[in-house]
Amino acid sequence: MRTYYRGPDAIVTGRHFVWLAAPTQVFHFDAVREVRVVRGEPAAQAIGALLAGTAGLVTLAGVAYAYAGRSVGLAATAAAALFWLLVLTTVRRRAARTWSLEADYAGTWTIVYSSADITAFNQVKRAVRRNLEDRVADRDGYGLAAA
């Protein structure tokens, strides 16, 4: 049996697709009718928390400026800006986009694979596509003779 992809999180063979998630899921290619790619959105709640935290720090810097003087206010503003940059870079890293493969599997649309690692996702997607193309070629009688 031909192996199209073998990685740490998925195995694509000529007959099966195995997603090594918790729990492990096995899909038979005979029951797959259509596959589509779904691009997930970054986490919106992280951006909301960033905006709320920034508003609080700017308010704190304004109060410090009004009550403690210009030098304390500028120091608080600089600290708020540094904190905002730190949180922004952390949120952007953690709010990674997830990519999913959905398939019409035995008459039901099912997520057969999902990953935030775009490289691994593209390798799995390419392996699934090659498998499905080979199945169509074999069904139509072309096989390797057409290659």
Side-chain angles (χ1 to χ4, degrees):
M1 176 175 7
R2 183 173 182 180
T3 300
Y4 291 88
Y5 176 81
R6 180 180 301 273
D9 58 346
I11 300 170
V12 181
T13 67
R15 294 186 184 146
H16 302 95
F17 177 83
V18 181
W19 185 14
L20 302 172
T24 299
Q25 298 176 347
V26 179
F27 301 96
H28 301 278
F29 276 110
D30 291 336
V32 173
R33 297 292 168 246
E34 185 179 343
V35 177
R36 66 182 175 202
V37 175
V38 178
R39 183 176 84 173
E41 294 297 325
Q45 67 271 16
I47 295 171
L50 173 66
L51 291 175
T54 301
L57 288 173
V58 168
T59 302
L60 180 65
V63 169
Y65 184 82
Y67 288 107
R70 182 175 184 200
S71 61
V72 174
L74 290 176
T77 302
L82 287 174
F83 180 76
W84 181 78
L85 287 173
L86 175 69
V87 171
L88 179 66
T89 57
T90 303
V91 165
R92 290 185 79 189
R93 238 182 265 140
R94 289 195 178 165
R97 187 178 305 272
T98 58
W99 298 82
S100 300
L101 281 178
E102 289 184 355
D104 180 359
Y105 183 71
T108 304
W109 280 98
T110 307
I111 295 176
V112 295
Y113 180 72
S114 182
S115 178
D117 181 3
I118 189 65
T119 303
F121 176 80
N122 281 333
Q123 290 173 345
V124 170
K125 177 181 74 170
R126 195 168 33 250
V128 169
R129 182 179 296 144
R130 282 193 323 252
N131 180 311
L132 294 174
E133 288 171 352
D134 288 349
R135 287 178 157 287
V136 169
D138 289 343
R139 184 190 68 216
D140 292 343
Y142 296 115
L144 294 176

